[in-house]
Structure formats: structure tokens, C-alpha cells
Amino acid sequence: QVQLVQSGGGLVQAGDSLNLSCAASGREAYRYALGWFRQPPGKEREFVGAISWDKRITEYSESVKGRFAIFRDNTKNTAYLQMHGLESEDTAVYFCTAGITPFATKPGEYDYWAQGTQVTVSS
């Protein structure tokens, strides 16, 4: 079992930056890839990005590539989502997730989910 606790989020202006963090705990939590998804109002959950357990591979959706960055600190079992140049289209509930499947971009490929946090970007 892996437990994930998110922090961060809130209301920002378009063009601002915002950071989310995700602390993982549990048996062999460090062996899991950590990913981020988001769910805009009235839409399905969509992939944002992910980082492999060894930090060697990061992937991003086209909609956030170049604006968002994912890091992880394995000494703290924590992943970070840095969001820059936020746009109103980035408004969503953001979820941290953990999974064993490499290069996973679909929600069903992840095993554990955090509670989610709201990010609202006003234009």
C-alpha cells in the first residue's frame, strides 16, 4: 500500500506560477513512478505528466510541455509539480498518483491516488 498526500494549489492569476507537492509513504513507495493528472470542470481526468522512480524519465502532455516541470526528491519520497505561465485552461482539480507501469499516461494504469487539490486560474 502507498499513501499519497498532496499540498499546494489555490487561486492565481493568469501568467502566475504555482507549485504542488505530493508526499508518498508506505512499503517501497520509492519504487513507484509518480504522476499528475487533472480534471477540468465537466471534463474527464487527463494526464499532465509523470516521473519515473529513478528520476531518469519525465513525460508531459502537449498542453503543459514547456510550462510545467516535475521533480522528485527520493530522500523525502516527494514529487513536485511546478506550474508556470498558468492559463485559465489549466483550471482543474489536480491529482497526484503512483504506479508501477512505466510510461503510463492513462488513469487506469496507476495504482494509488491522492485526494486532489483545486487549482483555479483567473484571467
Side-chain angles (χ1 to χ4, degrees):
Q1 285 281 349
V2 174
Q3 293 79 42
L4 302 172
V5 178
Q6 272 180 249
S7 61
L11 173 64
V12 297
Q13 300 285 328
D16 284 353
S17 298
L18 194 63
N19 297 328
L20 305 181
S21 64
C22 176
S25 62
R27 183 176 175 85
E28 294 192 329
Y30 71 96
R31 295 299 303 269
Y32 284 74
L34 294 177
W36 294 91
F37 282 75
R38 66 186 182 186
Q39 189 160 12
K43 297 184 179 180
E44 294 185 353
R45 197 167 296 190
E46 61 185 35
F47 176 73
V48 174
I51 186 167
S52 61
W53 71 273
D54 57 2
K55 302 186 286 185
R56 294 177 64 184
I57 299 171
T58 52
E59 294 184 274
Y60 300 95
S61 68
E62 288 299 320
S63 62
V64 306
K65 195 173 292 184
R67 298 188 299 122
F68 291 13
I70 298 174
F71 303 93
R72 73 186 287 170
D73 181 345
N74 283 347
T75 66
K76 300 178 181 179
N77 277 346
T78 300
Y80 304 91
L81 176 64
Q82 295 185 349
M83 303 181 286
H84 304 286
L86 284 161
E87 305 166 350
S88 57
E89 290 77 14
D90 296 315
T91 294
V93 177
Y94 283 71
F95 297 90
C96 171
T97 183
I100 287 293
T101 305
F103 315 116
T105 62
K106 296 181 175 62
E109 296 175 307
Y110 286 85
D111 304 301
Y112 303 100
W113 292 83
Q115 76 278 17
T117 186
Q118 178 70 45
V119 172
T120 303
V121 184
S122 64
S123 56

